Coordinates of all heavy atoms in Angstrom, one line a residue:
I174 N 12.6 6.6 7.9 CA 14.0 6.7 8.3 C 14.2 8.1 8.9 O 15.0 8.3 9.9 CB 14.9 6.5 7.1 CG1 14.8 5.0 6.6 CG2 16.4 6.8 7.4 CD1 15.4 4.7 5.3
T175 N 13.5 9.1 8.4 CA 13.7 10.5 8.9 C 12.8 10.7 10.2 O 13.3 11.4 11.1 CB 13.2 11.5 7.9 OG1 13.0 10.9 6.6 CG2 14.1 12.7 7.8
D176 N 11.7 10.0 10.3 CA 10.8 10.3 11.4 C 10.0 9.0 11.8 O 8.9 8.8 11.5 CB 9.8 11.4 11.0 CG 8.9 11.8 12.1 OD1 9.1 11.4 13.3 OD2 7.8 12.5 11.9
P177 N 10.7 8.1 12.6 CA 10.1 6.8 12.9 C 8.9 6.9 13.8 O 8.0 6.1 13.8 CB 11.2 6.0 13.6 CG 12.5 6.8 13.3 CD 12.1 8.2 13.1
G178 N 8.8 8.0 14.7 CA 7.8 8.1 15.7 C 6.4 7.9 15.2 O 5.5 7.2 15.8
I179 N 6.1 8.7 14.1 CA 4.7 8.6 13.6 C 4.3 7.3 13.1 O 3.1 6.9 13.1 CB 4.5 9.8 12.5 CG1 3.1 9.8 12.0 CG2 5.4 9.6 11.3 CD1 2.1 10.5 13.0
F180 N 5.3 6.5 12.7 CA 5.1 5.1 12.2 C 4.6 4.2 13.3 O 3.7 3.4 13.2 CB 6.3 4.6 11.5 CG 6.5 5.2 10.1 CD1 6.9 6.5 9.9 CD2 6.2 4.4 9.0 CE1 7.0 7.1 8.7 CE2 6.3 5.0 7.7 CZ 6.7 6.3 7.6
V181 N 5.3 4.4 14.5 CA 4.9 3.6 15.6 C 3.5 4.0 16.1 O 2.6 3.1 16.3 CB 5.9 3.8 16.8 CG1 5.5 3.0 18.1 CG2 7.3 3.3 16.4
R182 N 3.3 5.3 16.1 CA 1.9 5.8 16.6 C 0.8 5.3 15.7 O -0.1 4.6 16.1 CB 2.0 7.3 16.6 CG 0.7 8.0 17.1 CD 0.9 9.5 17.1 NE -0.4 10.1 17.1 CZ -1.2 10.1 18.1 NH1 -0.9 9.6 19.3 NH2 -2.4 10.7 18.1
T183 N 0.9 5.5 14.4 CA -0.2 5.2 13.5 C -0.3 3.7 13.3 O -1.3 3.1 13.4 CB 0.0 5.9 12.1 OG1 0.0 7.3 12.3 CG2 -1.1 5.5 11.1
N184 N 0.9 3.0 12.9 CA 0.8 1.7 12.5 C 0.6 0.7 13.7 O 0.0 -0.4 13.5 CB 2.1 1.3 11.7 CG 2.2 2.2 10.4 OD1 1.4 3.0 10.2 ND2 3.3 2.1 9.7
V185 N 1.3 1.0 14.8 CA 1.2 0.1 15.9 C 0.0 0.4 16.8 O -1.0 -0.3 17.0 CB 2.5 0.0 16.8 CG1 2.4 -1.1 17.8 CG2 3.7 -0.2 15.9
L186 N 0.0 1.7 17.4 CA -1.1 2.1 18.3 C -2.4 2.1 17.6 O -3.4 1.7 18.1 CB -0.7 3.4 18.9 CG -1.7 4.0 19.9 CD1 -1.7 3.0 21.1 CD2 -1.2 5.4 20.4
G187 N -2.4 2.7 16.3 CA -3.7 2.8 15.6 C -4.3 1.4 15.3 O -5.5 1.2 15.5
T188 N -3.5 0.4 15.0 CA -4.0 -1.0 14.8 C -4.5 -1.5 16.1 O -5.6 -2.2 16.1 CB -2.8 -1.9 14.2 OG1 -2.4 -1.3 13.0 CG2 -3.3 -3.3 14.0
Q189 N -3.9 -1.3 17.2 CA -4.4 -1.8 18.5 C -5.7 -1.2 18.9 O -6.6 -1.9 19.3 CB -3.3 -1.6 19.6 CG -3.6 -2.3 20.9 CD -3.7 -1.4 22.1 OE1 -3.1 -0.4 22.1 NE2 -4.5 -1.9 23.1
V190 N -5.9 0.1 18.6 CA -7.2 0.8 18.9 C -8.3 0.1 18.0 O -9.4 -0.2 18.5 CB -7.1 2.3 18.6 CG1 -8.5 2.9 18.5 CG2 -6.2 3.0 19.6
L191 N -8.0 -0.2 16.8 CA -9.0 -0.8 15.9 C -9.3 -2.2 16.4 O -10.5 -2.6 16.3 CB -8.5 -0.9 14.4 CG -8.4 0.5 13.7 CD1 -7.6 0.4 12.4 CD2 -9.9 1.0 13.4
L192 N -8.3 -2.9 16.8 CA -8.5 -4.3 17.3 C -9.4 -4.3 18.6 O -10.4 -5.1 18.7 CB -7.2 -5.0 17.6 CG -6.3 -5.4 16.4 CD1 -4.9 -5.7 16.9 CD2 -6.9 -6.5 15.7
D193 N -9.2 -3.3 19.5 CA -10.0 -3.2 20.7 C -11.4 -2.9 20.3 O -12.4 -3.4 20.9 CB -9.4 -2.1 21.6 CG -8.3 -2.6 22.5 OD1 -8.2 -3.8 22.6 OD2 -7.6 -1.7 23.0
A194 N -11.6 -2.0 19.3 CA -12.9 -1.6 18.9 C -13.7 -2.8 18.3 O -14.8 -3.1 18.5 CB -12.9 -0.5 17.9
A195 N -12.9 -3.6 17.4 CA -13.5 -4.7 16.8 C -13.9 -5.8 17.8 O -14.9 -6.5 17.6 CB -12.6 -5.3 15.7
K196 N -13.1 -5.9 18.8 CA -13.4 -6.9 19.9 C -14.7 -6.7 20.6 O -15.3 -7.6 21.1 CB -12.2 -6.9 20.8 CG -12.1 -7.8 22.0 CD -10.7 -8.0 22.5 CE -10.3 -6.9 23.4 NZ -11.1 -6.8 24.7
Q197 N -15.1 -5.4 20.7 CA -16.3 -5.1 21.4 C -17.6 -5.5 20.7 O -18.7 -5.5 21.3 CB -16.4 -3.5 21.6 CG -15.2 -2.9 22.1 CD -14.9 -3.2 23.6 OE1 -15.0 -4.3 24.0 NE2 -14.7 -2.1 24.4
I198 N -17.5 -5.7 19.3 CA -18.7 -6.0 18.6 C -18.5 -7.4 17.9 O -17.5 -7.9 17.9 CB -19.0 -4.9 17.5 CG1 -17.9 -4.8 16.5 CG2 -19.3 -3.6 18.2 CD1 -18.2 -3.9 15.3

Side-chain angles (χ1 to χ4, degrees):
I174 295 167
T175 346
D176 183 13
I179 183 74
F180 284 73
V181 175
R182 183 178 158 73
T183 299
N184 300 358
V185 186
L186 184 61
T188 300
Q189 193 236 333
V190 167
L191 288 166
L192 290 166
D193 276 343
K196 182 161 81 65
Q197 314 286 49
I198 61 171

